[in-house]
Amino acid sequence: MGSQSLKEGPQNAPHRALYHALGMTTEEIDRPLVGIVSSYNEIVPGHMNLDKIVEAVRLGVAMAGGNPVVFPAIAVCDGIAMGHRGMKYSLVTRDLIADSTEAMALAHGFDALVMVPNCDKNVPGLLMAAARLNLPTVFVSGGPMLAGHIDGKRASFSTISEAVGAYNAGKMSLEKLQEYECKTCPTCGSCSGMYTANSMNCLTEALGMGLPGNGTIPAVYSARIELAKRAGMAVMELLRRNLRPRDIMTEPAFENALTVDMALGCSTNSMLHLPAIANECGLTINLDIANAISARTPNLCHLAPAGPTFVEDLNEAGGVYAVMHELARKNLLHTDCLTVTGKRVGEAIAPCENLNPEVIRPVDSPYSETGGIAVLHGNLAPEGCVVKRSAVAPEMLVHEGPARVFECEEDAQAAINAGGIHPGDVVVIRYEGPKGGPGMREMLNPTSAIMGMGLGGSVALITDGRFSGATRGACIGHVSPEAAAGGPIGVVKEGDVISINIPENRLELKISEEELAARMAQFTPQEKPLSGYLKRYAALVSSGASGAIVNR
């Protein structure tokens, strides 16, 4: 439709009257109407600087001849929501964000959009909206946080999470824990490791929807303000060329994003978000595609929590485009895909050399020949499950142990804190999936407690819920079908032996087929009393294996 249909001719005088009520001049009204979707709020550290980013975008749009108008999108801080009922409301906001952006954009006839997200569900929610609306769109995030500094070492949000486990195990004093509390998150921005927010902001570049640096320029750098101005100017060029998100987010572009995902060692949550974004583009990404791409893609980066480097280091090493430059050396990318730079991938990444082979391993000298994420199958996860292979200790890549079964995150956390989990155990947390949670809570607190207690090399955790990007260790999520949907995870008994073989992509419950069939025949999933948005969400959401897509 576009804004012209709302602005031109005598019949649209009432619309123009309302534009004048906003203080717009006739000259502004005549310009293309560009919506700036602002995720600014004062509760999310990754969003507290977005007012400055939005103002820079406004200037860029205006300099390039557009009429910028800001409207909001919500965002939840996963860290603040972690470990209590608030986490049930994290993943579910992805669809609220997409739906509300669709409503605002179409109700007001915007010609183009600039999306200004930063944190976990906000980025994929707005990418979903961009695909659905298919208006010329550019993304510019708020940027990553700088790493903290403690005792001469750098730290991040996963550091403070694991410090709590160390304190509970008597390995850290309260005074030292308080020091960690004050020093691990020193600036605004999305938390400083390759967690979900930074993963998705980097993958936005790989998809072609963000300018170079979108995922890596730190939030507090002035270069971030420059990037925002350029994003405002770039969207006007996309509008002039009529270049739209579905022209950019094609099937080859999603293969590029998955390839970069594997090279960077991104959060396992990307395995929820990329399928959901692709779905809005009319495309299907399944977990088997991810395994095939992982099999041919070397893992080039070990950023926190997998290793000692941070997103600021990736930025100094050349950023996402430098990683893509390395991958292109082995013809692992579709270089003819379009991007919001106005160039195709091959041309855009050509000058972006790897400036630090300690941060971005050369493609012929990777951390591993296969990607950072693995999808496992077996009788415990017939539809699949996901693990961040690059963050698993070598001794835990193959593991067998007795199941310690819990019906919710809180019960598992209490057992871990009480010292009830022992080396060799496989912690099973169920009824935390998209339907069963509902909302598929992240399990950062249990995994961090296990790591902080020194059990990361001997204890595994599996769940039909999911994990924070800050999680490391043998932590396997998205087990599908989930318990609430009648999946086999719902019939695991205390003491059952569970076999994990990440190199062979297998997750097995070591009981006979006959025994499993008998248990399944007698199994009735638990039902939780629900109300409000969570009740509606649970009724409509699909499996974690398909991206927890809300079926309309």
Side-chain angles (χ1 to χ4, degrees):
M1 180 177 67
S3 66
Q4 290 305 312
S5 63
L6 305 181
K7 296 187 301 189
E8 292 182 344
Q11 72 278 7
N12 282 322
H15 294 147
R16 293 194 297 276
L18 293 170
Y19 290 139
H20 285 297
L22 291 168
M24 290 185 189
T25 64
T26 300
E27 291 81 1
E28 287 175 292
I29 295 170
D30 287 342
R31 293 180 173 191
L33 190 64
V34 179
I36 304 173
V37 187
S38 171
S39 304
Y40 169 77
N41 65 47
E42 294 184 340
I43 191 61
V44 183
H47 291 229
M48 63 178 286
N49 66 319
L50 295 190
D51 55 342
K52 295 178 176 59
I53 303 298
V54 166
E55 285 306 308
V57 173
R58 286 175 65 104
L59 184 57
V61 169
M63 285 193 299
N67 180 15
V69 178
V70 179
F71 65 88
I74 64 169
V76 163
C77 176
D78 277 28
I80 294 174
M82 195 72 66
H84 57 95
R85 71 175 182 176
M87 182 46 70
K88 295 178 184 286
Y89 287 90
S90 172
L91 179 60
V92 304
T93 64
R94 189 180 70 180
D95 292 275
L96 287 175
I97 291 162
D99 292 350
S100 60
T101 302
E102 173 193 359
M104 286 293 292
L106 293 183
H108 299 101
F110 287 101
D111 297 299
L113 299 169
V114 179
M115 306 293 197
V116 187
N118 210 28
C119 289
D120 294 31
K121 309 312 157 311
N122 198 244
V123 182
L126 290 179
L127 281 165
M128 289 164 65
R132 191 184 302 174
L133 290 162
N134 206 32
L135 298 170
T137 302
V138 175
F139 276 69
V140 56
S141 77
M145 185 183 291
L146 294 177
H149 293 265
I150 302 173
D151 298 331
K153 297 180 180 179
R154 291 189 299 171
S156 62
F157 188 70
S158 54
T159 311
I160 180 61
S161 299
E162 293 178 18
V164 174
Y167 170 75
N168 288 336
K171 297 181 177 183
M172 180 180 289
S173 68
L174 180 60
E175 291 74 21
K176 181 56 82 172
L177 179 63
Q178 290 170 337
E179 182 183 357
Y180 273 64
E181 174 186 329
C182 294
K183 293 182 176 179
T184 49
C185 297
T187 71
C188 63
S190 47
C191 293
S192 55
M194 189 50 73
Y195 309 146
T196 305
N198 291 328
S199 294
M200 293 310 302
N201 282 323
C202 287
L203 295 183
T204 298
E205 287 188 54
L207 272 173
M209 292 297 293
L211 297 175
N214 176 71
T216 60
I217 297 172
V220 295
Y221 282 15
S222 297
R224 175 67 52 181
I225 301 297
E226 294 183 35
L227 182 72
K229 292 175 185 175
R230 295 191 184 284
M233 292 186 278
V235 81
M236 295 304 297
E237 178 63 15
L238 295 184
L239 180 61
R240 185 188 68 78
R241 293 177 56 185
N242 194 30
L243 185 58
R244 297 169 183 263
R246 284 183 227 157
D247 300 324
I248 295 169
M249 291 193 285
T250 59
E251 187 170 341
F254 279 99
E255 290 187 9
N256 283 349
L258 282 165
T259 301
V260 173
D261 189 341
M262 300 303 169
L264 285 173
C266 289
S267 165
T268 52
N269 284 314
S270 64
M271 295 294 100
L272 288 174
H273 300 323
L274 289 174
I277 300 161
N279 178 68
E280 296 289 353
C281 295
L283 304 170
T284 299
I285 291 178
N286 61 45
L287 297 185
D288 292 330
I289 294 173
N291 254 1
I293 291 174
S294 182
R296 66 175 183 256
T297 305
N299 178 223
L300 305 182
C301 299
H302 269 191
L303 293 103
T309 53
F310 297 84
V311 179
E312 63 194 78
D313 301 312
L314 178 61
N315 186 63
E316 296 302 319
V320 174
Y321 273 24
V323 174
M324 295 175 74
H325 186 103
E326 287 287 348
L327 294 169
R329 288 174 54 202
K330 284 201 170 180
N331 298 315
L332 293 171
L333 295 177
H334 300 281
T335 56
D336 59 344
C337 291
L338 293 166
T339 73
V340 295
T341 66
K343 302 174 183 177
R344 296 185 183 271
V345 166
E347 182 185 0
I349 67 175
C352 301
E353 297 282 348
N354 180 0
L355 303 178
N356 189 340
E358 297 300 315
V359 176
I360 305 171
R361 287 280 186 90
V363 75
D364 51 7
S365 181
Y367 282 103
S368 67
E369 294 293 340
T370 53
I373 289 177
V375 176
L376 316 183
H377 288 85
N379 65 355
L380 194 49
E383 294 178 2
C385 55
V386 180
V387 63
K388 189 170 183 175
R389 172 169 45 197
S390 59
V392 178
E395 62 269 26
M396 289 299 291
L397 290 170
V398 178
H399 178 77
E400 279 194 7
R404 305 296 310 281
V405 182
F406 303 95
E407 308 300 329
C408 65
E409 177 188 1
E410 288 84 354
D411 290 351
Q413 187 69 49
I416 295 166
N417 291 346
I421 302 301
H422 308 290
D425 286 350
V426 178
V427 177
V428 177
I429 306 177
R430 60 194 180 197
Y431 292 103
E432 291 287 7
K435 291 181 181 293
M440 205 177 187
R441 285 195 288 182
E442 290 183 341
M443 304 291 161
L444 178 60
N445 286 359
T447 61
S448 296
I450 288 169
M451 297 301 295
M453 291 177 172
L455 296 172
S458 60
V459 170
L461 192 153
I462 70 170
T463 180
D464 52 10
R466 61 195 178 94
F467 296 110
S468 165
T471 289
R472 62 189 178 108
C475 301
I476 299 167
H478 310 191
V479 172
S480 301
E482 61 179 290
I489 192 173
V491 301
V492 178
K493 294 182 179 180
E494 187 83 6
D496 283 347
V497 174
I498 293 176
S499 172
I500 299 166
N501 191 320
I502 294 173
E504 294 184 4
N505 304 114
R506 300 297 298 171
L507 178 67
E508 297 283 348
L509 181 62
K510 302 285 280 189
I511 61 175
S512 69
E513 291 183 14
E514 293 77 14
E515 171 66 14
L516 180 57
R519 291 188 192 182
M520 293 296 292
Q522 297 174 7
F523 176 42
T524 301
Q526 295 180 8
E527 292 187 10
K528 298 178 181 178
L530 299 172
S531 62
Y533 180 51
L534 292 183
K535 182 177 182 179
R536 188 163 72 251
Y537 183 86
L540 296 174
V541 70
S542 71
S543 164
S546 58
I549 294 165
V550 171
N551 298 303
R552 292 173 174 82

